[in-house]
Amino acid sequence: MAWVCIGIGSNIEPERNIRSALAELRRRFGALTVSTIYANPAIGFAGDDFLNLVVKFDTDLPVRALVAQLREIETGYPPRGGEAKFVSRALDLDLLLYADLVLDDNGVRVPRPEITRYAFVLRPLAEVAGDRRHPLLGVTLAELWTRFDQSRETLWPVTLPCAIHE
């Protein structure tokens, strides 16, 4: 079994889509550790605010099989505007960490470079796995968040109307 961290984001009906995605992840993988949900403005394009969070869970799937499962879940939530990187999305699931694995092969990158680039990835990641070390940098995720220039991005915690931490 390996612990993994998945980033979840949505700016198209985000409350409904995040609730649905969490239910599907629980169904497929069991118990989840769920971070606070954070809202932030769209980055790289004009669009509605995103809701982002990170979940952590254990899996016995190899990395490629896990990524395939995440893509399969996403297919039920097509993006608006095609497959461009910076578009509105009903659901985006990103494998951020797969234990201490370092991999850059055929489109799969672990750890995800976005971990150190964006507050909306690092802050919730540090909540669910703050004691874990970044596999390339050797410092804890909590320490990375402490060092992060938090003035670069605006994040605010949000609560969904119905409980998601079941």
Side-chain angles (χ1 to χ4, degrees):
M1 294 292 272
W3 61 270
V4 298
C5 291
I6 309 297
I8 303 173
S10 175
N11 76 333
I12 299 171
E13 299 184 64
E15 294 168 351
R16 181 177 69 89
N17 292 330
I18 287 172
R19 269 195 228 95
S20 174
L22 287 170
E24 182 62 17
L25 289 167
R26 279 189 191 97
R27 187 184 73 72
R28 291 180 187 225
F29 302 108
L32 307 175
T33 301
V34 181
S35 76
T36 301
I37 298 171
Y38 292 96
N40 62 280
I43 295 176
F45 70 100
D48 293 336
D49 291 345
F50 273 83
L51 295 185
N52 290 284
L53 66 149
V54 171
V55 296
K56 181 179 170 218
F57 57 88
D58 293 328
T59 184
D60 58 0
L61 289 177
V63 68
R64 291 211 175 275
L66 175 59
V67 170
Q69 291 272 321
L70 298 177
R71 296 297 82 80
E72 184 179 293
I73 294 168
E74 282 181 338
T75 61
Y77 305 81
R80 203 176 281 158
E83 294 298 321
K85 183 169 176 72
F86 297 109
V87 297
S88 290
R89 295 194 181 274
L91 185 66
D92 190 23
L93 299 174
D94 293 323
L95 175 59
L96 303 174
L97 292 168
Y98 187 101
D100 296 323
L101 180 69
V102 175
L103 177 69
D104 187 354
D105 181 48
N106 214 13
V108 177
R109 292 183 73 185
V110 181
R112 291 281 292 216
E114 291 87 348
I115 291 171
T116 57
R117 290 185 192 146
Y118 299 114
F120 66 83
V121 176
L122 183 55
R123 184 173 183 184
L125 181 60
E127 283 182 24
V128 299
D131 60 333
R132 302 293 185 160
R133 294 192 178 278
H134 188 286
L136 294 171
L137 303 176
V139 297
T140 66
L141 297 166
E143 187 175 342
L144 283 175
W145 175 242
T146 300
R147 295 179 186 176
F148 191 85
D149 180 0
Q150 298 172 27
S151 67
R152 293 187 337 201
E153 293 175 47
T154 303
L155 295 179
W156 56 98
V158 297
T159 304
L160 295 187
C162 111
I164 61 160
H165 292 85
E166 301 165 350

